[in-house]
């Protein structure tokens, strides 16, 4: 198939990405302005350079036939594991996590680029395992997830690690994995987080003792609950095998999730420090620690609220210029934009993201290539999760997890990852009707 450069671009995607990147550069520039009206940061210059390189990466990826990547992805996945291990041992500490590598002033965050490799490898496996028994297929796919997820969690970088989970769930769902298998993983994970944070929520926010929560703080009571739920799950399994009634299956299913969550939350409570757990719950009432963990959320909500309908005007924001917002060019870039452009500016960002997501769904539905189908589904999950969590975080509706707003937030690694993904979508879309063999 002869590739024509001007036909390969999806101009709807390209226009939305360029608009978002331009807005990002403008408000990264604004974030560098101090209270005296002087720009004291060169971050916007770096972002312009990264955006320019990102456009080249996007073009090269779009020109590359994505199907040819299938022969390399097993080796790339091996490299993913190696680079994550290397980062954990030799990486730099940034914001409490050893998640960066580089030379001198140049650094990259490997876990960002590894999202692309993870999507490609999981898509490769799902395509080639159609005839594999469902349980075996799910177990292997879960192993593909858990290896990089565990290596990122021990950096520790919970924000980046969390992005891998929706990618996995959406790709597996699209790949035909039964919903009950995915809910087993999702339910167990969510319940583990709840059991981990409940004791701190009780002491810091509720300020009241609940007997049921005391089970999670008393090792003897926890052990009794683990043994009891485990026994019920086992009895349910035996009942399912012996009597063949479906409700025995659901008894075993539900109590197995509870038992596993009680076990893993015991280790999670010791692996995470109190301040890390507190970041997961302080959004419920940030004023319980207004000068500490709740500060970011409070200042972000003030910035967004003060923007009103039309905003204060470009370069007229006060929360950023007076340095009330920490990490303002990365995690809280949307807060700056909303303060200076108001509700209208925020709605424009929402609209551009909505078009990108809709266009990605169109590509998923239009492609006749199963491998491309899975890749596009993984990218859709990544874009959606980044957008929802970041905007929810800065508006005080979700925990602060350090997830950037793709295309707008400052940072070369996340920007390049997002633009390579756009290139992959263009490559899939351009070749959606091509049935030629790839050798």
């Amino acid at each position: 198939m002869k590739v024509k450069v001007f036909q390969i671009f999806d101009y709807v995607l390209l226009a939305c990405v360029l608009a978002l990147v331009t807005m990002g550069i403008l408000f990264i520039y604004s974030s560098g302005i101090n209270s005296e009206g002087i720009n004291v940061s060169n971050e916007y210059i770096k972002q312009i350079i990264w955006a320019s390189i990102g456009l080249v990466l996007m073009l090269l990826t779009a020109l590359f036939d994505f199907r040819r990547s299938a022969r390399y992805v097993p080796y790339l996945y091996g490299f993913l594991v190696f680079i994550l291990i290397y980062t954990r041992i030799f990486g730099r500490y940034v914001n409490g996590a050893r998640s960066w590598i580089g030379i001198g002033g140049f650094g990259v965050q490997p876990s960002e680029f590894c999202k692309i490799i993870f999507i490609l490898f999981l898509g490769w496996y799902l395509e080639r395992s159609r005839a594999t028994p469902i349980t075996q297929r799910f177990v292997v796919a879960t192993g593909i997830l858990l290896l990089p997820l565990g290596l990122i969690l021990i950096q520790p970088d919970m924000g980046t690690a969390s992005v891998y989970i929706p990618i996995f769930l959406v790709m597996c769902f699209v790949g035909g994995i039964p919903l009950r298998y995915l809910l087993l993983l999702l339910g167990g994970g969510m319940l583990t987080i709840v059991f981990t944070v409940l004791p701190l929520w009780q002491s810091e926010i509720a300020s009241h003792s609940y007997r049921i929560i005391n089970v999670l703080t008393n090792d003897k009571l926890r052990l009794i609950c683990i043994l009891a739920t485990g026994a019920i799950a086992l009895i349910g399994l035996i009942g399912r095998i012996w009597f063949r009634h479906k409700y025995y299956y659901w008894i075993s299913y539900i109590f197995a999730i509870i038992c596993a969550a009680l076990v893993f939350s015991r280790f999670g409570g010791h692996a995470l420090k109190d301040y890390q757990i507190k970041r997961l719950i302080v959004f419920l009432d940030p004023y319980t620690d207004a000068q500490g963990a709740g500060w970011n959320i409070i200042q972000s909500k003030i910035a967004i609220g003060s923007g009103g309908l039309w905003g204060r005007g470009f370069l007229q924001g006060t929360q950023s210029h007076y340095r009330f917002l920490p990490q303002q060019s990365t995690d809280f870039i949307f807060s700056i934009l909303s303060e200076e452009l108001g509700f209208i500016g925020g709605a424009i960002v929402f609209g551009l993201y909505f078009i990108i997501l809709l266009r990605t769904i169109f590509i998923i539905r239009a492609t006749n290539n199963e491998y491309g189908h899975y890749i596009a589904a993984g990218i859709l999950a990544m874009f959606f999760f980044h957008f929802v969590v970041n905007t929810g975080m800065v508006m005080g509706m979700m925990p602060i997890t350090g997830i950037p707003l793709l295309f707008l937030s400052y940072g070369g690694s996340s920007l390049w990852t997002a633009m390579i993904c756009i290139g992959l979508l263009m490559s899939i879309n351009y070749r959606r009707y091509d049935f030629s063999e790839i050798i």
Side-chain angles (χ1 to χ4, degrees), residues 50 52-62 113 416-417 419-420 423:
W50 290 332
S52 302
I53 297 173
L55 285 171
V56 175
L57 293 173
M58 183 177 69
L59 170 61
L60 294 176
T61 306
F113 298 106
W416 288 352
T417 298
M419 298 189 85
I420 290 171

Side-chain angles (χ1 to χ4, degrees), residues 91-108:
R92 301 175 182 173
Y93 272 108
V94 177
N95 295 327
R98 194 187 290 273
S99 56
W100 291 76
I101 58 175
I103 301 173
F106 178 78
V108 295

Side-chain angles (χ1 to χ4, degrees), residues 94-388:
V94 177
N95 295 327
R98 194 187 290 273
S99 56
W100 291 76
I101 58 175
I103 301 173
F106 178 78
V108 295
Q109 190 174 7
S111 55
E112 287 289 341
F113 298 106
C114 287
K115 295 173 190 174
I116 302 172
I117 300 175
F118 173 70
I119 290 172
L120 292 174
F121 186 65
L122 184 58
W124 174 87
Y125 173 74
L126 290 173
E127 183 194 24
R128 281 159 176 75
S129 62
R130 292 186 296 271
T132 305
I134 290 295
T135 302
Q136 180 183 336
R137 197 172 183 226
F138 174 70
V139 170
V140 174
T142 304
I144 293 172
L145 166 70
L146 293 180
L147 187 54
L149 187 69
L151 291 172
I152 295 170
L153 282 172
I154 62 174
Q155 289 181 353
D157 188 353
M158 292 185 295
T160 303
S162 66
V163 181
Y164 285 72
I165 298 173
I167 293 173
F168 170 82
L169 293 173
V170 171
M171 291 182 70
C172 286
F173 179 75
V174 170
I177 301 293
L179 192 59
R180 67 180 183 275
Y181 285 75
L182 302 179
L183 289 177
L184 179 67
L185 187 64
L186 179 63
M190 295 297 293
L191 203 57
T192 298
I193 294 172
V194 170
F195 287 167
T196 301
V197 303
L198 272 178
L200 194 63
W201 171 84
Q202 177 178 258
S203 60
E204 297 290 337
I205 294 180
S207 299
H208 182 75
S209 180
Y210 295 91
R211 291 183 179 179
I212 192 169
I213 296 179
N214 291 336
V215 171
L216 302 173
T217 59
N218 187 303
D219 285 342
K220 290 183 179 180
L221 290 177
R222 182 193 290 267
L223 179 60
I224 292 172
C225 288
I226 290 171
L227 294 175
T229 53
I232 295 172
L234 181 60
I235 292 170
L237 180 61
I238 295 171
R240 171 61 176 167
I241 296 171
W242 188 267
F243 297 106
R244 301 287 181 180
H245 291 302
K246 197 169 184 179
Y247 57 81
Y248 284 110
Y249 169 82
W250 290 111
I251 290 172
S252 179
Y253 183 92
I254 293 170
F255 280 92
I257 291 176
I258 297 172
C259 180
L262 285 168
V263 172
F264 289 119
S265 63
R266 175 67 172 79
F267 298 106
H270 287 280
L272 298 176
K273 299 185 183 300
D274 280 354
Y275 78 89
Q276 292 175 313
I277 300 176
K278 196 166 187 177
R279 288 174 62 183
L280 297 174
I281 60 172
V282 75
F283 77 99
L284 297 170
D285 185 4
Y287 289 95
T288 58
D289 189 11
Q291 299 298 317
W295 174 264
N296 296 1
I297 296 176
I298 293 170
Q299 299 306 320
S300 177
K301 291 169 71 174
I302 291 173
I304 293 172
S306 65
L309 180 62
W310 297 102
R312 294 177 177 270
F314 182 57
L315 303 181
Q316 302 303 312
T318 57
Q319 293 297 106
S320 62
H321 296 176
Y322 285 91
R323 297 295 182 267
F324 288 112
L325 281 172
Q327 307 294 332
Q328 54 192 23
S329 64
T330 53
D331 298 347
F332 292 90
I333 191 72
F334 187 77
S335 304
I336 300 174
L337 184 148
S338 296
E339 182 182 21
E340 298 188 3
L341 295 187
F343 175 81
I344 299 300
I348 291 172
V349 172
F350 270 70
L352 291 170
Y353 257 98
F354 184 68
I355 294 171
I356 290 174
L357 295 173
L358 276 183
R359 190 62 181 169
T360 306
I361 293 172
F362 168 80
I363 293 171
I364 293 171
R365 293 173 61 88
T367 184
N368 290 302
N369 184 278
E370 188 176 358
Y371 181 46
H373 189 74
Y374 294 139
I375 294 172
I379 293 172
L380 173 70
M382 186 184 79
F383 284 171
F384 180 78
F385 187 76
H386 268 271
F387 175 70
V388 169

Side-chain angles (χ1 to χ4, degrees), residues 383-418:
F383 284 171
F384 180 78
F385 187 76
H386 268 271
F387 175 70
V388 169
V389 172
N390 181 273
T391 54
M393 175 184 76
V394 300
M395 289 188 285
M397 300 168 63
M398 289 188 175
I400 295 178
T401 53
I403 293 178
L405 185 57
L406 295 178
F407 305 114
L408 282 92
S409 292
Y410 170 75
S413 298
S414 61
L415 181 61
W416 288 352
T417 298

